[in-house]
Amino acid sequence: MVVQPRPGGRAIYATLKEQILAGAYGSQGLLPSSRALALELGVSRTTVTAAYEQLAAEGFVAIRQGARPQVAGLAPSPAAPATAAPPPGPRLSAYAARLPGGPVRWQPSPARLIADFRYGDLAASDFPTLLWKRAVDAAIARRPDRLSYGDPQGAPDLRAALQAYLWRARGLRCENSQIVVVNGSQQGLDLCARLLLDPGDRVVLENPGYAMARHIFSSVGAEAIPVPVDAEGLRTEELEKVSARLAYVTPSHQFPLGGVLPVARRRALLDWARRQGAFVIEDDYDSEFRYDIAPIPPLHALAEEGDAAAPVIYLGTVSKTLSPTLRLGYLVLPPALTESFVVAKQLTDRHTAALEQAALASLLESGAYERHIRRLRRRNAERRALLIEALRRHFGNAIRIEGDAAGLHLLAWLDSLPAGAAEPLRAAALKRQIGIHPVAPLYAPGAPRPATLGLMMGYGALEPKRIERAVLALKAAVDELG
Ligand SMILES: Cc1ncc(COP(=O)(O)O)c(C=O)c1O
């Protein structure tokens, strides 16, 4: 039994422990007898005995009847060198060594901004709170008596609802058994990287492109092959020179430049993949939002036309339609890949949170999800129109807008400013409580970058009535730089 020293005894215990750890009694030295120490400190012998018993219970000393307590074989602490070198970092894996440094870490949005053009955020007021609450309540009410782990592939209800939705909304035909529910696109990409790539394997990435994908692929030791992008997306003619195991693309709305990959390039990409025996990851992250263009069927649908085992992995998410905080996404896999993905998903985290899966399934089944998307599309169309109009009015020819036909962001090029003006402009904008985000970090390291300043302007979280003020403040910041 662990004996708790009484007050007084605790101080004696703490001092003795500190002295033992500091090596004051050596690695096997003898401590004073309880009688001697009690006399020396002017406390009762019981107090000292309780302290010794606590130290013995924790393994610092050994106590034998009639003998002085003895330090219990602690390794002697090495004498500290006069100028102590910093301790070496912990020994981590090769994977850890490949992880990107600081800038990738999550950063909070500075508080009290008039507007932050950070891409990826949504307005909290756009979340269908009531619908979601009802769906979660209904899922709780349906809960069985026993709380068991769920299917790692994803709840069967949700997979069935997703299958029907993908066919209705995207013209994508698949079996439920090809769908794996994941914690957002990011987990889908992580599974692809770990299951399809070995260190040294080559992966084609759009340049500029989604940095979170680039980091995932580099973290498994793959070699990123940046392939340039133009106003129509990936320049597939460049693929002829490239061999790779995997290509990651955003054909419906190239991230970040916004091009829509034309059908000829889609065919070229699929032909390339088939010749290489490579897979193509189609990240369909924001195709629910398109404004002046007709719906574009996914690459997956085109590939399916000619081949049931098409080499396309389709990746979807609710991060743009509901909330990036839900961490809900889905993969549609070629049948031959499903088993490995499901096992890897199970080993990673058992399965995606069941209540959220059930809530999403019921929104999909009732049609509420698509009604919500239609509402959201109208709101984002309004934000987009206000933003474009304000940019044109205040900047005139000094701004070039690109990639605005779909999604929740556009690119604004300030061709009179060099790319190097990004930091001063960020500071000048922040002074006016505006958050801006240059596009330069989305270019692959070492690849050519544009000479002029481009801004990624996300508008999914903007309050429409603040857009005018925000653009005016941005104009003032640009003017300050001359
Ligand atoms: C290209 C791209 N893919 C996917 C996502 C969504 O990622 P997730 O589903 O992990 O939230 C984003 C979000 O910004 C994105 O820009």
Side-chain angles (χ1 to χ4, degrees):
M1 191 183 78
V2 175
V3 178
Q4 288 299 332
R6 293 191 304 249
R10 175 153 285 284
I12 297 168
Y13 151 84
T15 310
L16 285 172
K17 181 163 139 183
E18 206 174 291
Q19 289 172 344
I20 292 168
L21 286 172
Y25 298 100
S27 64
Q28 288 180 316
L30 295 173
L31 281 87
S33 70
S34 53
R35 180 201 299 270
L37 192 56
L39 262 175
E40 188 185 321
L41 299 176
V43 297
S44 77
R45 197 167 162 196
T46 327
T47 304
V48 174
T49 307
Y52 275 153
E53 280 174 355
Q54 178 66 27
L55 289 168
E58 292 178 24
F60 288 105
V61 298
I63 301 176
R64 269 175 294 114
Q65 191 68 37
R68 287 161 61 192
Q70 186 176 15
V71 175
L74 286 184
S77 349
T83 52
R91 195 188 156 279
L92 297 177
S93 67
Y95 169 83
R98 289 189 297 254
L99 290 177
V104 176
R105 286 283 304 277
W106 171 84
Q107 305 277 343
S109 178
R112 283 184 285 117
L113 293 182
I114 297 171
D116 190 349
F117 289 102
R118 179 156 80 165
Y119 174 70
D121 294 356
L122 302 185
S125 56
D126 283 352
F127 185 76
T129 308
L130 214 65
L131 273 178
W132 189 257
K133 264 178 85 169
R134 271 198 224 120
V136 169
D137 285 349
I140 291 173
R142 281 198 310 271
R143 195 172 54 181
D145 305 342
R146 191 183 277 257
L147 298 177
S148 308
Y149 290 113
D151 183 344
Q153 184 162 6
D157 282 3
L158 176 56
R159 285 189 285 118
L162 282 169
Q163 181 208 25
Y165 166 74
L166 287 170
W167 174 226
R168 261 195 327 271
R170 301 295 287 128
L172 188 157
R173 207 189 282 272
C174 67
E175 300 294 330
N176 301 4
S177 57
Q178 287 175 261
I179 298 178
V180 177
V181 177
V182 286
N183 296 337
S185 316
Q186 201 58 24
Q187 186 175 50
L189 291 173
D190 182 58
L191 291 173
C192 289
R194 287 191 286 136
L195 290 165
L196 301 174
L197 297 170
D198 285 312
D201 281 347
R202 294 150 66 91
V203 50
V204 163
L205 299 177
E206 297 165 330
N207 185 44
Y210 188 37
M212 290 291 273
R214 171 157 42 89
H215 294 312
I216 282 265
F217 296 127
S218 321
S219 73
V220 296
E223 187 191 343
I225 311 292
V227 170
V229 158
D230 62 19
E232 298 191 317
L234 190 77
R235 282 179 37 198
T236 42
E237 73 275 15
E238 301 279 331
L239 286 177
E240 295 314 315
K241 306 172 234 160
V242 176
S243 73
R245 294 276 308 269
L246 190 67
Y248 164 83
V249 289
T250 49
S252 301
H253 186 225
Q254 200 276 327
F255 186 87
L257 297 191
V260 177
L261 202 67
V263 70
R265 290 195 189 185
R266 288 169 187 245
R267 290 224 159 89
L269 174 60
L270 291 172
D271 288 347
W272 170 85
R274 287 195 175 101
R275 283 199 305 277
Q276 298 275 321
F279 286 104
V280 177
I281 301 175
E282 172 177 29
D283 185 354
D284 203 27
Y285 63 106
D286 69 357
S287 61
E288 295 84 359
F289 303 100
R290 48 174 196 278
Y291 309 102
D292 305 331
I293 48 173
I296 310 131
L299 187 63
H300 193 282
L302 182 69
E304 288 282 317
E305 272 173 18
D307 179 3
V312 177
I313 297 172
Y314 178 89
L315 184 56
T317 180
V318 305
S319 289
K320 309 285 166 232
T321 53
L322 288 173
S323 167
T325 63
L326 283 174
R327 311 312 305 137
L328 278 171
Y330 42 93
L331 289 160
V332 181
L333 294 161
L337 292 183
T338 317
E339 179 62 17
S340 307
F341 274 72
V342 174
V343 174
K345 166 73 181 164
Q346 183 173 20
L347 292 184
T348 304
D349 60 4
R350 295 274 193 175
H351 59 77
T352 292
L355 264 185
E356 282 74 5
Q357 289 194 63
L360 178 59
S362 79
L363 292 194
L364 284 162
E365 284 157 9
S366 68
Y369 183 72
E370 279 144 286
R371 284 195 295 280
H372 163 70
I373 289 179
R374 282 198 289 277
R375 248 192 328 270
L376 207 53
R377 197 180 293 144
R378 283 196 294 276
R379 282 189 207 167
N380 283 315
E382 184 198 356
R383 292 184 174 107
R384 168 184 173 270
L386 288 170
L387 178 60
I388 294 175
E389 200 272 324
L391 288 171
R392 294 226 167 100
R393 192 151 33 79
H394 294 295
F395 285 88
N397 289 336
I399 214 156
R400 188 163 49 84
I401 295 171
E402 194 181 8
D404 60 317
L408 299 177
H409 77 276
L410 54 80
L411 256 130
W413 292 98
L414 293 161
D415 287 328
S416 60
L417 290 179
E423 269 317 306
L425 184 62
R426 200 206 293 264
L430 208 53
K431 247 184 6 202
R432 294 168 173 83
Q433 298 177 333
I434 303 294
I436 60 154
H437 304 272
V439 72
L442 301 180
Y443 283 80
R449 290 173 178 219
T452 60
L453 181 59
L455 299 180
M456 272 290 284
M457 301 191 85
Y459 50 80
L462 295 184
E463 249 186 76
K465 61 177 189 296
R466 291 191 174 183
I467 290 177
E468 169 72 16
R469 226 171 113 203
V471 171
L472 255 176
L474 176 62
K475 176 72 167 63
V478 170
D479 289 346
E480 182 185 314
L481 263 62

